[in-house]
Amino acid sequence: MRRFSLVLFTVILLAGCGDTVADLKEAAAGINSKANEAASAISIDVHFIRATEIEFDNQTFTINDLFKTILRDVEWNYDDSGETQQLKITGTWQNNGLFAQHSFSAYQKELLKENGEVEVILSFNNGTMDETKTKVSMIMDGETLIKEVGQEILHHLYKTYTQILL
């Protein structure tokens, strides 16, 4: 009788675990499904543009390498609805020399590491980047701290990247 009770208790216990395992499998499938949706939401055009090679200061790197290195938590948004295609890259500021020409205090730098959102907009015509239309801004707590346009700011991003690699 004791054995029967032990077996019955084990079966009941395992039956409860079966529901939990099924729930875990269902949750994992849902996570996998959402990850696949997110991956497919990035069009082939975005992948192609992110793989675009840049030659600067005797170095070659991709747009993807550039922004994955100089920013944290990078997000990509591609818009090809207009005459000019635009790639908007957003990410969190890193204290790696990016915008070093701006004299942020140590306290501001700590705040920027958590809340400093950098937005870069690159424009393309027929698959070729138009560096003169580059737009870069940094916003913290709703306030625009930096807003620059043109080839100079893009080259500053390139220089920041190449200095990080040294």
Side-chain angles (χ1 to χ4, degrees):
M1 183 70 171
R2 206 176 221 188
R3 276 189 165 181
F4 178 73
S5 296
L6 182 60
V7 170
L8 183 62
F9 176 74
T10 304
V11 168
I12 291 171
L13 182 65
L14 290 176
C17 290
D19 291 340
T20 303
V21 170
D23 291 344
L24 289 173
K25 284 182 181 180
E26 186 177 324
I31 291 169
N32 189 36
S33 173
K34 289 296 181 188
N36 287 336
E37 284 177 30
S40 64
I42 299 175
S43 71
I44 292 172
D45 292 333
V46 173
H47 291 295
F48 177 76
I49 288 177
R50 286 172 56 178
T52 299
E53 289 188 341
I54 299 166
E55 290 186 31
F56 180 79
D57 201 23
N58 297 320
Q59 292 193 30
T60 303
F61 48 92
T62 66
I63 289 175
N64 188 64
D65 295 337
L66 170 68
F67 291 104
K68 288 284 192 172
T69 301
I70 66 172
L71 299 174
R72 286 184 302 117
D73 309 320
V74 179
E75 294 181 20
W76 309 88
N77 186 355
Y78 180 68
D79 180 11
D80 65 350
S81 61
E83 191 174 296
T84 302
Q85 298 80 36
Q86 292 188 327
L87 179 63
K88 181 169 101 173
I89 304 110
T90 57
T92 309
W93 178 82
Q94 291 193 78
N95 189 12
N96 55 13
L98 186 59
F99 307 128
Q101 72 274 27
H102 298 273
S103 53
F104 296 118
S105 69
Y107 175 72
Q108 286 174 313
K109 287 179 182 180
E110 286 302 312
L111 291 175
L112 287 170
K113 281 197 275 187
E114 295 300 318
N115 303 313
E117 184 177 291
V118 177
E119 178 182 275
V120 179
I121 298 176
L122 303 176
S123 295
F124 295 84
N125 289 317
N126 298 321
T128 303
M129 187 180 351
D130 184 348
E131 293 185 345
T132 62
K133 292 184 178 179
T134 301
K135 298 177 185 176
V136 178
S137 59
M138 183 165 62
I139 300 167
M140 184 175 71
D141 297 330
E143 180 184 348
T144 301
L145 303 176
I146 296 170
K147 189 170 189 169
E148 298 186 31
V149 177
Q151 189 174 15
E152 278 187 41
I153 187 60
L154 184 60
H155 286 196
H156 173 70
L157 298 176
Y158 295 168
K159 286 176 190 172
T160 301
Y161 173 80
T162 57
Q163 289 172 355
I164 290 171
L165 297 180
L166 297 177

